Amino acid sequence: QQQKARGGGKASRASSRSSQASRVPRVFPTVIIVRDDVGQELWRSGEMLLGDNMRAAELMSPDASQRINMPQDLADSIQTDTHELFVLDTSTGELLQVANLTNTRLQSLQRHAVAEGKLTLVIAKAEDSEDAFETMG
């Protein structure tokens, strides 16, 4: 009986530890690239750790410059109605458009970083053509 109680104590400590861990967001190594309307790279972040619970829309918000160390003038020019967010799928090398910026969290994009483990996001001017890229989200 006593051994069972001791074992139960260990299990409850382990489960409380795992529930605490689930409240702490995981972080992913992430690089953000901003491109102009012809695809030229305007800016590239250093590798940074971003929380998996961050929404994609937060990367394109006016305060993104503080959050990801983007130059303020560049951050001011990026808007969700003029720019799009893409994730680089490292297994195929393709850019996939993140269609739902508001509800997409970085955690759901992490699966595209399988090869390197590093999430690469690209912010680019919106294309006129709706089907220029495969979309996800």
Side-chain angles (χ1 to χ4, degrees):
Q1 283 285 31
Q2 286 181 343
Q3 282 182 333
K4 244 186 195 179
R6 262 187 247 142
K10 286 179 185 175
S12 64
R13 275 195 300 270
S15 65
S16 70
R17 244 185 272 131
S18 66
S19 67
Q20 281 179 327
S22 67
R23 281 183 245 148
V24 176
R26 292 186 344 199
V27 293
F28 299 123
T30 306
V31 171
I32 298 173
I33 300 167
V34 178
R35 293 185 180 165
D36 65 11
D37 51 354
V38 293
Q40 295 287 7
E41 190 173 303
L42 297 174
W43 177 80
R44 177 185 290 256
S45 73
E47 190 172 297
M48 61 191 137
L49 297 175
L50 296 179
D52 64 354
N53 61 346
M54 177 183 265
R55 294 181 192 278
E58 293 178 59
L59 299 171
M60 296 173 65
S61 68
D63 67 341
S65 61
Q66 291 90 17
R67 190 170 294 149
I68 60 175
N69 296 322
M70 183 185 295
Q72 188 64 52
D73 59 331
L74 189 56
D76 289 343
S77 71
I78 294 173
Q79 300 173 2
T80 56
D81 58 345
T82 60
H83 288 75
E84 296 169 331
L85 183 68
F86 300 89
V87 60
L88 176 65
D89 187 316
T90 56
S91 63
T92 64
E94 292 182 317
L95 285 178
L96 305 175
Q97 183 181 351
V98 180
N100 188 340
L101 296 174
T102 306
N103 293 327
T104 301
R105 294 185 185 272
L106 295 189
Q107 179 179 16
S108 66
L109 301 178
Q110 182 60 23
R111 64 191 160 109
H112 296 287
V114 188
E116 304 172 8
K118 177 174 62 180
L119 185 61
T120 301
L121 301 172
V122 176
I123 298 172
K125 281 264 193 175
E127 295 263 331
D128 290 334
S129 170
E130 288 289 319
D131 51 17
F133 295 92
E134 181 180 342
T135 60
M136 59 151 297

